[in-house]
Amino acid sequence: MAQINATPTSRPVLLVLALALVVLLCYGMRVAFEKPGTALKAEMLASAGAGTSFTLEDGARIPGTGNILVEDELVAVQRVTAEGSPVNSGILLLNNQHTFKVVERGAAGTKVTNHAAGASVKEPGTLFFPENFASFGDEVDELFYLILWITGIAFILTEGFFLFCVFSFWAKPGMRAHHLHGHHTLELVWTLVPAIILVALALLQAGMWKSMKMEIPLADSPDVFEVQVAAQQFQWNFRVAGSDGKFATPDDVPSVGELHVPVGKKVRVVQRSIDVIHCFFLPNYRVKQDVVPGLAVPVWFDTSRAGRFPIMCAELCGLGHTKMGGTLVVHETADFKTWLEKESTLWTSENDGQDRPDWSGASSKIWWWWDQHDVGVHYQGEKTNR
Amino acid sequence: MHLLEATDFNVTTTPWLVILGLCVLMALVRLIAPKFYSHYLWSGDHKMIGKQFLVSSLLWAVVGGALALGVRWQLAWPGSEVPGFKALFGWPDGGAAPEHYNIMFTMHASVMIFFVIIPLLVGAFGNFVVPLQIGAQDMAFPFLNALSYWLMWPAFIFMAFSFYVPGDGAGAGWTSYPPLSETMLGDGQTLWCMGVWFVGWSSICGAVNYITTIVKMRAKGMTLFRMPLTSWSILITSILVLCATPVLGSAVTMLLMDREFGSSFFVPAARVVSDAAQATGGGQVILWQHLFWFYSHPAVYILVLPAMGMVSDMLANACRKPVFGYRPMVYSLIAIAFLGFVVWGHHMFQSGMNPALGRTFMIATMMIALPSAVKTFNWLATIYRSQMQLEVHTLCSLAFVSMWIIGGLSGIFMAATPVDIQIHDTYAIVAHIHYIVFGSTLFSVFGAIYYWYPKMFGRTMNKPLAYTHFIVTFVAFQFTFFPMHVVGSRGMLRRTADPYFYGNLQGMLPVNQLMTVAALILGAAQLVLAINFFWSMFAGKVCTERNPWKATTMEWNTPTPPVGHGNFDVIPEAHRGPYEYADPDAAEDFTPQFQAPAGSAKPVPHAH
């Protein structure tokens, strides 16, 4: 086959093809991102007012808990049992019938209390990261964008130079390449410049990492609210202390799938798993921490505003991993007190502190297990052991 | 539950019987057709072993690719049956159930890493190219070489059977983190362990052989710093393999013992299985992750270093220009290998490991970006003011360089610990690894296939088909993997059968469908390569020219294809560095290593 060399006439063609690829890629992603929630049966929600329940047919796809954007209006739905009590986790099999309840609805632009668990790029948040509500999250996002700028500039410089070379240096008959084996100064420059940038980046983030993962607030401070997380295949169990502020007492309030915390507090989360590794992921709080069986791993975040936010399991934990979701419910201070009192009373009145109600299968035993098999809080990053 | 009953070793016997049958079959072939046996089966010839690795890897790539398409199918049309999977794997749901989804991504990664990329780079091209490039008659230990190929077969059989054994296949991810990998019922996970164990032995046999061959069997004049970068990269890779693989072997053995013999290396205390607290325990869950990543991080470099070496060779040839900064290229290979052993913890930033350690690993990880950057700049400088020939290996090397830049830059986000919190275990990671392993490594492998094909089979591959394959693959690749960066950083988790369970991920269904359509096109494009590869083997244009690409390295000084055991019909001798292109004083634009200096009194002596 004859040698096809890129001549000056074929160069524009190559350039146009490359540009077309980039434009096509951008356009494809834009189109794809612009259709929010097509997987949902949106029309079923269009007319459902708050408090109404409805049942979806087989094969319908809907989250355990979440917000759905229906014609620019946010609808918060919650999966409920046939009797109407909320179910927030556990395996949601694809072909079962499920009953849902509309909890709340409001315009997308307004500050509804629960708009965080959004569905598309139309939702608040940056292009890359979902909206942030944690105080250290801003730093993380700034670091992300700093790295994006640095790598973006490096990308444009290197790929630009690359494309320039690709379009410029095709063989011409009778010509030889520039005979050069290397260049000491150049090698030094392109070793030292990235080295300085990388060391600076490394030093910059060291403090951030320390405040996020090593300086976990201690429970005895008044602005700290402690919760316990017991992960199991395939649900999140949560426990908060009752009015006495102590764990392992009869007024503790356990919950499944929904973690209730007050606003304006540092939330100290102590996590344990009863079976395999899970991973506690709060995308809106920049929190992700593996829950490791045999260890009690603490992590923390702070709450600045009320709302409902998704909790995800980010580490493969078995066949039900994909359905191991939950919701973080951040209450206004007064609302939280009401909620805690209500739950606490329900708990103690039904049980006299003796047996615990069967909330959901094995979870009735899980706090018994937690108290029986006490392992101290792990990490040397902790200031004390408890 | 499994652990309590685990005292009887009840792994299904079928794969063992198949292996036994294979041995008997080989013995029979040896009796009936001894020449066929010693040429095509138990051959000590490095060229034949290289081809064996090449063909079996390409066949396994079909399996790995099909599994990847199954994964993509589920993400685009969740809960629907993947066409053909019901018949292929005997799953009544056709891959729609989460447990089968877990098997699909687990086995996709395991097959692609252990059976495709590592054997392709080290087994196929390392074997075929290295002895020729350094001017050796064969590898140092031909028996060990054949053994390293045939040890892959038990692994092939175990992994293949893991889909079909009672219970379920291996579905704990290719990382197989315990305790999940220990609580997996069914023998699939056990067979997975056995498979990995045999792959490890195969790698070790190969590594010992490469190191000895390269250190002891170089031709006269072939000093270490006259060695082409492909051989350098295989030497460095083999040192990595030799140091890291025994750790994986030990870890897998411990996992096997936990699963089958009731030990508890990785079983934590007070674990609850099926509502019952377990009596066994006291092991450390995170220990596995340390051992696994101590192998698997170097393995990531095993997956890419030989590709870097091959691209350096092909790029110099394609650009008709010496590789810019040959010595910095070698030093950066060594630096990557050394640093590769102290960065494994960056896979474990969120694992519950002491966060102070995370900081140490973060700094080491930032540092390993440095030699990679140096290599990139040197490739760019090689292209600058060159005279590029329009060949398929040119395009593939250029694709390698540009995709390597994207994959390398996205790695910096993961190295930054606070940012990693958000993108760990998401599709951003999936995008990153595929830009490295597909965008870089596989493109270099495509290039290497076209480049060394004439030397291997004495025929050239069809060029229009090759261009078609390259262009479709390159474009479909971008659409398949680039959007993953965005959906990943917005929170789309990897390894979830149905991410749209989460309200905040539902808007990502259309973009996932886009990626899946692109992936299907990407998969279809590989059929073009397969057809071209096997068709050209029998019907391609015959090539008898010794040096069709006008290259400078030693492998082009042999007959095409090299005849018999012994490779060279001349006594190989290296007279200069490996990349003497475009010397303005030379008669031609390339001066091969094997060309005696002008005015040399001694003519090149012939072997016969």
Side-chain angles (χ1 to χ4, degrees):
Chain A
M1 191 183 206
Q3 188 74 32
I4 317 165
N5 285 333
T7 57
T9 46
S10 68
R11 250 178 250 156
V13 178
L14 279 173
L15 191 65
V16 166
L17 281 177
L19 282 177
L21 176 63
V22 173
V23 170
L24 207 62
L25 190 59
C26 296
Y27 182 73
M29 282 183 64
R30 199 182 132 82
V31 168
F33 263 123
E34 263 192 348
K35 298 182 206 154
T38 49
L40 299 172
K41 303 272 175 175
E43 67 275 11
M44 301 199 64
L45 292 170
S47 55
T52 45
S53 297
F54 54 92
T55 304
L56 296 182
E57 78 267 33
D58 283 4
R61 321 192 54 70
I62 200 156
T65 307
N67 297 339
I68 303 148
L69 202 61
V70 185
E71 287 162 5
D72 284 343
E73 190 187 20
L74 274 173
V75 182
V77 293
Q78 195 172 43
R79 188 158 72 91
V80 293
T81 61
E83 292 80 44
S85 53
V87 179
N88 294 298
S89 70
I91 307 173
L92 203 152
L93 290 170
L94 286 177
N95 295 319
N96 284 2
Q97 275 206 342
H98 293 291
T99 306
F100 292 84
K101 189 173 79 179
V102 175
V103 181
E104 197 170 352
R105 50 192 311 152
T110 57
K111 285 191 176 180
V112 256
T113 49
N114 44 2
H115 78 239
S120 75
V121 283
K122 281 188 174 172
E123 283 296 297
T126 62
L127 172 62
F128 287 103
F129 279 9
E131 197 176 7
N132 165 53
F133 295 95
S135 61
F136 51 60
D138 291 336
E139 270 188 322
V140 176
D141 292 9
E142 278 165 23
L143 178 68
F144 174 81
Y145 281 101
L146 175 69
I147 299 178
L148 192 62
W149 271 106
I150 293 172
T151 53
I153 291 168
F155 174 79
I156 288 168
L157 289 180
T158 47
E159 296 277 14
F161 182 76
F162 171 81
L163 283 179
F164 162 72
C165 292
V166 168
F167 291 125
S168 308
F169 299 117
W170 292 101
K172 291 162 206 74
M175 295 286 284
R176 280 192 195 179
H178 183 53
H179 185 69
L180 184 63
H181 279 278
H183 196 287
H184 269 283
T185 320
L186 266 179
E187 297 284 353
L188 269 181
V189 168
W190 65 47
T191 311
L192 289 179
V193 170
I196 291 164
I197 295 173
L198 289 169
V199 168
L201 265 182
L203 293 178
L204 187 71
Q205 55 189 287
M208 220 180 286
W209 176 249
K210 194 174 170 211
S211 69
M212 291 170 83
K213 290 271 174 133
M214 294 167 77
E215 288 170 350
I216 314 285
L218 295 175
D220 45 21
S221 165
D223 63 338
V224 174
F225 181 77
E226 184 169 350
V227 298
Q228 294 177 337
V229 176
Q232 72 181 106
Q233 289 173 323
F234 302 95
Q235 71 181 16
W236 294 104
N237 303 284
F238 302 105
R239 181 164 76 165
V240 299
S243 49
D244 63 352
K246 283 190 187 122
F247 284 97
T249 53
D251 70 341
D252 290 351
V253 179
S255 57
V256 175
E258 264 190 16
L259 170 57
H260 296 261
V261 296
V263 77
K265 292 269 192 185
K266 290 178 176 171
V267 181
R268 172 191 160 92
V269 187
V270 178
Q271 323 180 85
R272 293 174 60 187
S273 164
I274 69 162
D275 38 40
V276 302
I277 301 173
H278 302 274
C279 185
F280 184 72
F281 179 30
L282 286 173
N284 298 97
Y285 284 87
R286 311 297 183 252
V287 168
K288 188 180 278 158
Q289 179 62 57
D290 278 11
V291 188
V292 185
L295 301 182
V297 185
V299 71
W300 77 284
F301 59 95
D302 53 5
T303 52
S304 57
R305 64 192 275 188
R308 296 171 72 87
F309 309 97
I311 296 173
M312 304 163 105
C313 177
E315 183 70 58
L316 176 66
C317 59
L319 66 97
H321 164 61
T322 176
K323 307 289 181 198
M324 191 168 159
T327 310
L328 169 69
V329 186
V330 182
H331 293 275
E332 299 291 352
T333 317
D335 289 351
F336 183 74
K337 257 187 197 148
T338 322
W339 175 83
L340 193 66
E341 256 163 40
K342 195 184 90 196
E343 295 291 316
S344 213
T345 325
L346 179 77
W347 183 258
T348 39
S349 67
E350 277 183 9
N351 302 288
D352 298 329
Q354 296 295 313
D355 298 307
R356 295 180 167 186
D358 186 18
W359 283 69
S360 170
S363 72
S364 55
K365 296 176 194 151
I366 200 161
W367 300 108
W368 175 84
W369 167 84
W370 180 294
D371 297 335
Q372 285 295 306
H373 301 93
D374 192 12
V375 291
V377 174
H378 285 66
Y379 273 4
Q380 276 115 40
E382 279 283 286
K383 281 176 186 155
T384 67
N385 199 34
R386 284 295 281 168
Chain B
M1 196 165 76
H2 191 58
L3 284 170
L4 295 181
E5 300 166 355
T7 36
D8 55 329
F9 189 70
N10 57 356
V11 172
T12 172
T13 47
T14 327
W16 295 96
L17 292 176
V18 173
I19 293 169
L20 194 68
L22 188 77
C23 295
V24 173
L25 192 71
M26 296 246 318
L28 278 177
V29 174
R30 191 181 177 179
L31 276 178
I32 299 162
K35 273 196 176 161
F36 180 86
Y37 173 83
S38 62
H39 187 71
Y40 289 107
L41 294 180
W42 192 278
S43 167
D45 183 4
H46 71 98
K47 300 184 289 295
M48 181 52 69
I49 295 167
K51 288 178 205 170
Q52 286 173 332
F53 268 115
L54 183 61
V55 171
S56 58
S57 300
L58 290 179
L59 292 178
W60 271 102
V62 177
V63 179
L67 289 165
L69 293 180
V71 170
R72 288 275 9 135
W73 188 277
Q74 281 308 308
L75 291 175
W77 301 285
S80 67
E81 195 180 298
V82 186
F85 272 37
K86 196 186 270 183
L88 199 60
F89 298 112
W91 297 332
D93 54 283
E99 61 267 37
H100 293 149
Y101 178 86
N102 291 357
I103 295 171
M104 287 195 286
F105 67 71
T106 299
M107 295 308 287
H108 161 65
S110 308
V111 163
M112 285 302 195
I113 289 167
F114 294 121
F115 290 174
V116 179
I117 305 288
I118 293 180
L120 264 181
L121 291 175
V122 184
F125 290 104
N127 244 316
F128 187 84
V129 176
V130 166
L132 293 175
Q133 257 191 353
I134 61 171
Q137 308 291 313
D138 197 342
M139 297 280 274
F141 309 116
F143 180 86
L144 208 57
N145 206 7
L147 193 64
S148 98
Y149 177 69
W150 287 102
L151 277 175
M152 292 298 285
W153 274 85
F156 291 162
I157 290 163
F158 284 128
M159 288 274 193
F161 268 92
S162 79
F163 288 102
Y164 303 107
V165 288
D168 266 324
W174 85 280
T175 52
S176 285
Y177 281 4
L180 180 61
S181 57
E182 294 179 336
T183 48
M184 299 277 300
L185 299 169
D187 293 331
Q189 189 67 39
T190 303
L191 291 179
W192 181 92
C193 294
M194 304 289 299
V196 171
W197 198 79
F198 274 98
V199 171
W201 273 111
S202 161
S203 295
I204 292 170
C205 290
V208 169
N209 215 346
Y210 291 119
I211 295 172
T212 317
T213 308
I214 292 173
V215 170
K216 298 296 290 182
M217 293 180 64
R218 297 191 310 276
K220 189 181 170 200
M222 181 65 80
T223 60
L224 276 179
F225 278 99
R226 276 184 183 175
M227 240 169 34
L229 287 168
T230 302
S231 299
W232 257 114
S233 64
I234 294 287
L235 173 64
I236 302 295
T237 305
S238 300
I239 294 170
L240 281 181
V241 169
L242 195 61
C243 298
T245 314
V247 178
L248 177 73
S250 326
V252 164
T253 310
M254 286 152 86
L255 187 61
L256 258 178
M257 292 179 76
D258 275 10
R259 280 185 63 83
E260 299 298 337
F261 301 112
S263 63
S264 53
F265 291 108
F266 309 122
V267 184
R271 192 174 61 136
V272 181
V273 174
S274 301
D275 255 1
Q278 298 294 293
T280 54
Q284 260 292 353
V285 170
I286 297 182
L287 173 64
W288 164 268
Q289 299 179 27
H290 280 293
L291 295 176
F292 181 83
W293 288 115
F294 186 83
Y295 164 78
S296 291
H297 194 77
V300 175
Y301 291 103
I302 295 168
L303 297 180
V304 82
L305 288 185
M308 289 172 159
M310 298 194 303
V311 159
S312 304
D313 279 11
M314 291 189 287
L315 205 59
N317 176 269
C319 292
R320 318 303 302 163
K321 191 165 174 281
V323 166
F324 194 90
Y326 170 77
R327 278 186 183 240
M329 285 297 223
V330 174
Y331 298 145
S332 52
L333 272 179
I334 297 169
I336 289 176
F338 176 75
L339 286 170
F341 276 112
V342 292
V343 297
W344 81 88
H346 68 217
H347 298 271
M348 301 168 56
F349 283 153
Q350 324 304 341
S351 70
M353 164 182 88
N354 186 333
L357 265 177
R359 208 151 53 163
T360 318
F361 281 119
M362 177 266 290
I363 292 167
T365 306
M366 285 285 174
M367 288 301 98
I368 206 167
L370 201 54
S372 310
V374 169
K375 293 192 87 70
T376 310
F377 294 134
N378 277 311
W379 284 317
L380 289 176
T382 306
I383 307 171
Y384 182 63
R385 293 180 73 182
S386 66
Q387 293 281 319
M388 284 188 291
Q389 310 288 312
L390 189 63
E391 295 289 347
V392 184
H393 65 261
T394 316
L395 298 178
C396 290
S397 321
L398 293 176
F400 173 98
V401 175
S402 58
M403 295 302 101
W404 170 256
I405 292 173
I406 298 179
L409 289 176
S410 67
I412 295 176
F413 293 89
M414 282 134 221
T417 42
V419 177
D420 182 70
I421 291 176
Q422 192 70 7
I423 57 185
H424 179 77
D425 267 327
T426 66
Y427 261 78
I429 306 287
V430 180
H432 169 70
I433 177 124
H434 284 92
Y435 264 85
I436 298 293
V437 176
F438 196 133
S440 304
T441 303
L442 267 188
F443 273 109
S444 95
V445 166
F446 295 150
I449 289 175
Y450 295 116
Y451 184 65
W452 278 297
Y453 197 89
K455 192 55 77 184
M456 283 183 174
F457 300 105
R459 289 172 189 272
T460 45
M461 287 172 79
N462 181 295
K463 223 171 164 185
L465 278 182
Y467 282 136
T468 314
H469 167 243
F470 173 80
I471 290 166
V472 178
T473 305
F474 187 80
V475 175
F477 169 81
Q478 310 302 332
F479 281 89
T480 309
F481 295 107
F482 193 81
M484 287 182 188
H485 291 114
V486 182
V487 293
S489 45
R490 287 193 68 79
M492 182 171 152
L493 298 171
R494 65 199 285 212
R495 295 175 175 176
T496 44
D498 182 14
Y500 318 109
F501 166 74
Y502 293 105
N504 52 328
L505 301 183
Q506 276 161 357
M508 293 175 187
L509 184 67
V511 81
N512 272 294
Q513 287 168 340
L514 174 83
M515 289 190 273
T516 299
V517 171
L520 291 170
I521 296 170
L522 187 62
Q526 305 319 306
L527 292 178
V528 180
L529 175 72
I531 291 166
N532 199 355
F533 183 86
F534 289 106
W535 179 79
S536 303
M537 213 185 271
F538 303 103
K541 206 176 79 187
V542 175
C543 172
T544 49
E545 212 182 327
R546 282 184 177 228
N547 193 355
W549 308 117
K550 298 184 169 37
T552 51
T553 45
M554 196 71 92
E555 74 267 32
W556 305 104
N557 193 26
T558 60
T560 298
V563 184
H565 218 141
N567 295 339
F568 291 89
D569 54 359
V570 293
I571 293 174
E573 186 178 349
H575 299 280
R576 55 184 66 75
Y579 303 114
E580 282 304 330
Y581 289 101
D583 184 351
D585 301 327
E588 284 192 89
D589 80 331
F590 68 110
T591 321
Q593 281 190 293
F594 45 84
Q595 184 179 308
S600 149
K602 269 195 292 180
V604 180
H606 282 262
H608 11 228

